[in-house]
Amino acid sequence: MRADPSILHVDLDAFFAAVEQRDKPSLRGKPVVVGGIGLRGVVSTASYEARKYGVRSAMSTAEARSRCPHAAYLSPRFEVYRATSQAVMAQMRALSPLVEPLSLDEAFVDLSAAGLHDLTVEDVQAIADDLKDAIKQASGGLTASVGAGTSKLIAKIASDLDKPDGVVVVPPGTEAEFLAPMQVTVIPGVGPATAQRLSMAGVRTVADLQQLDADELIRQVGTAHGSSLHRMAVAADDRPVVSDRETKSVSIEDTFETDIIDRALLAAISERMAHRVAERLQKAQLSGRTVTVKTRMHDFTTHTRSSTLAGPTDDPRVVARVARRLLEDSDISGGIRLLGVGVSSLADWIQDDLFTESEAVEAAEAAVDLADVPVRSRERQTGYYPGQDVTHPAYGDGWVWGAGRGRVTVRFETAATTGPIRTFAVDDPELSLVQHTPPDDEESAAEADR
C-alpha cells in the first residue's frame, strides 16, 4: 500500500448537462436533462438543478418528465462532449504522464509517476485545487470534484463526498476508519442483490463488513466476490493506475454453416454468447459499459449496433437483455451468416449487481432509443431534435428548442452570445444542422462510428 495519498480520482460534475449549460446561456441555473427523449428513453445525465426534483441517471425519461416537467430535455451531442473531454484529459496529463480514463468524464491520476513523493495532505489539496482551476479554464467553465487517497478505491469514493466542485483528501492510515460508517453499497460490487444478502447476515455498513472474517463472507456471496469484498472493506487495494489496458473489449462471434432467419434461434444464440462473454469478464475481474452486437448478412455486409449503460457491469442478465434488444432491431430478412456479442469500455470495478431487475430492462430499452443513433442517421429519419446545434445565414448559430408538426423552433445563442427565438418550417433551406468534427483519436473515432 502507498504511504501517501498520491492517487487522484477526477470526476467532472454532471458532465453532459454542464456542457449544455455552458453552451446555452438560457439554461444556466435551470434544470437540464440529457438522454433519450423518446417514449423509451433513459436519462444519461441530470443537472444539479434537476436532481433536486429526484431526477437521476438511468431513470426512464418518462419518470423524469413526471418529476420535473419544466426541465429542458435534450438529446446528446457526443462530438462536443468528446472534444471537451480531450481538453480536460490534456490538463491531467500535463500534471502526470500516468492517467487512466474511466469514461469521458472521469479518470485516475497517479502523482507518483510525476515524480511527486512524500506528499502531505496539504500538498495534495493544493495540487487538486490547481488541477481544478486548470480544468475550469480549459473546458470553458466546467467544475470537477477530486478525491485523493492511497488507493483507487479510496480516491474514487472520496471524489463523491463533496460534490459539486469539491476536494476530499483521505490521510494515509485512516482508510478503514474513513470507510467504516458508510453504507456497504459504497464498496464496488455491492449492488442491490448483494446488499440484500449481506443485510440478511446483519451487514449494513462497511464497519459491519469489516467484522466478518473471509470465510463467512465467502459463504454469503461466493468465493471470488467474497474475497474481493473482504479486501476492499479494509481498503486493501493495490491496483495500479494504468494508462492503457491491454484488453479493450471481450467478445464472442460465430459463423453459421447456413444463414439463419429464425429470430427465436438467433435470440437464444445471442443469450448464450452474452453469458460466455460475462463469464470471461468475471474471470478477468473486469466489467464493461458498452454492449455491441455484430451481424454479417447473407450478402457479407456487416453491421454493428451498440448501447452504453450508465455504469459497468459483468452481469450476464444485463448483457443478454441489451444484446437481445439490439438484435431485435436488426434487419435479418435476408439471413445472418455471422453473429457476435461483445462488451467494451472496460473497467476493473466489479459491479455485477449494478442494476436491479427493472433498471436492467430500462437500460436494455435504451438501446433502441434515438439518442443512441448517430446524428446523421437521426437527421435522415425524423429531422430535428431538442439540443441540436443549427445555423442560419441571417441569425447565426443556435440550438433546437423544439420541433414538431412540420416546424422547428430555434433559440439563437452560443456560449458567449444571446439572440432571438424563431420558428421555421422543417424544410427551410436556410436552416441547417452544424456538423461537429469528431476528436482526432482512435477511441473517440470508434465511439463516433457506433
Side-chain angles (χ1 to χ4, degrees):
M1 301 299 296
R2 299 190 179 206
D4 49 33
S6 57
I7 295 180
L8 306 183
H9 180 259
V10 182
D11 191 2
L12 294 170
D13 300 317
F15 180 47
F16 291 0
V19 171
E20 298 301 336
Q21 290 176 321
R22 177 198 68 186
D23 294 347
K24 301 173 173 64
S26 60
L27 298 183
R28 294 171 189 169
K30 298 178 181 179
V32 175
V33 179
V34 179
I37 58 176
L39 294 176
R40 293 188 293 178
V42 172
V43 174
S44 176
T45 307
S47 70
Y48 285 94
E49 295 85 358
R51 295 181 192 188
K52 293 177 182 178
Y53 294 87
V55 180
R56 57 174 176 77
S57 298
M59 173 183 287
S60 70
T61 301
E63 183 178 350
R65 288 183 187 276
S66 70
R67 294 189 179 205
C68 191
H70 60 289
Y73 288 85
L74 308 177
S75 55
R77 299 183 301 149
F78 289 113
E79 289 84 357
V80 177
Y81 306 150
R82 291 185 189 107
T84 303
S85 175
Q86 280 193 337
V88 170
M89 296 296 172
Q91 297 306 311
M92 298 186 207
R93 293 189 177 99
L95 174 61
S96 170
L98 192 47
V99 175
E100 180 181 347
L102 301 180
S103 61
L104 291 177
D105 61 347
E106 62 176 322
F108 289 113
V109 181
D110 190 338
L111 298 180
S112 66
L116 301 174
H117 301 285
D118 300 323
L119 294 166
T120 66
V121 170
E122 291 74 19
D123 293 336
V124 176
Q125 176 79 42
I127 291 170
D129 287 336
D130 289 345
L131 177 59
K132 277 160 33 69
D133 290 342
I135 287 172
K136 184 175 290 188
Q137 183 173 356
S139 65
L142 302 191
T143 64
S145 297
V146 181
T150 56
S151 68
K152 294 167 87 171
L153 171 71
I154 295 299
K156 195 171 194 304
I157 292 173
S159 69
D160 200 41
L161 295 184
D162 190 22
K163 279 185 162 291
D165 200 21
V167 176
V168 175
V169 183
V170 179
T174 68
E175 293 86 358
E177 179 184 352
F178 167 75
L179 293 174
M182 298 181 182
Q183 292 296 305
V184 71
T185 50
V186 77
I187 300 293
V190 181
T194 298
Q196 185 175 11
R197 290 196 295 270
L198 291 173
S199 179
M200 294 174 64
V203 176
R204 293 176 178 82
T205 67
V206 179
D208 297 332
L209 191 62
Q210 291 170 350
Q211 298 303 312
L212 287 184
D213 61 37
D215 291 340
E216 176 61 24
L217 196 50
I218 287 171
R219 280 195 294 273
Q220 295 294 332
V221 298
T223 303
H225 203 27
S227 299
S228 175
L229 291 184
H230 187 259
R231 294 193 304 272
M232 292 293 185
V234 294
D237 176 22
D238 59 357
R239 293 169 301 157
V241 177
V242 289
S243 58
D244 288 304
R245 298 186 184 91
E246 290 186 12
T247 305
K248 300 293 184 181
S249 64
V250 175
S251 62
I252 291 173
E253 61 183 45
D254 194 11
T255 301
F256 311 123
E257 291 185 5
T258 57
D259 299 341
I260 298 178
I261 59 173
D262 185 334
R263 282 197 178 274
L265 177 57
L266 288 168
I269 294 171
S270 72
E271 181 149 355
R272 286 200 299 271
M273 287 181 169
H275 279 259
R276 288 166 60 194
V277 167
E279 287 175 5
R280 291 186 181 182
L281 288 171
Q282 292 168 2
K283 286 180 180 178
Q285 291 192 323
L286 293 171
S287 54
R289 295 179 62 233
T290 300
V291 179
T292 300
V293 167
K294 175 182 176 181
T295 54
R296 181 165 297 147
M297 314 308 291
H298 66 288
D299 59 359
F300 287 89
T301 57
T302 302
H303 306 280
T304 59
R305 291 177 61 83
S306 300
S307 180
T308 299
L309 303 170
T313 184
D314 64 356
D315 189 330
R317 298 167 301 171
V318 177
V319 178
R321 278 193 179 88
V322 177
R324 186 166 60 248
R325 288 288 179 186
L326 294 170
L327 186 58
E328 284 174 357
D329 277 353
S330 299
D331 179 10
I332 66 167
S333 56
I336 291 179
R337 62 180 290 107
L338 176 146
L339 178 64
V341 175
V343 174
S344 57
S345 301
L346 302 182
D348 53 6
W349 295 81
I350 305 302
Q351 297 182 332
D352 57 336
D353 292 328
L354 180 66
F355 297 106
T356 63
E357 198 76 9
S358 61
E359 287 174 328
V361 173
E362 288 178 3
E365 291 188 344
V368 296
D369 192 87
L370 285 171
D372 285 328
V373 181
V375 170
R376 292 182 293 278
S377 299
R378 283 191 270 125
E379 180 186 1
R380 287 196 298 270
Q381 290 179 31
T382 51
Y384 295 100
Y385 284 83
Q388 285 178 311
D389 292 324
V390 296
T391 189
H392 188 279
Y395 296 105
D397 294 335
W399 57 280
V400 176
W401 202 22
R405 298 183 179 179
R407 294 177 295 178
V408 56
T409 299
V410 177
R411 180 183 283 271
F412 288 98
E413 66 176 357
T414 66
T417 64
T418 58
I421 299 172
R422 293 290 184 270
T423 299
F424 305 88
V426 165
D427 57 358
D428 190 315
E430 291 195 300
L431 187 68
S432 60
L433 289 170
V434 174
Q435 299 296 335
H436 295 285
T437 303
D440 186 21
D441 70 88
E442 252 179 55
E443 182 179 351
S444 295
E447 289 183 12
D449 287 342
R450 288 199 292 268

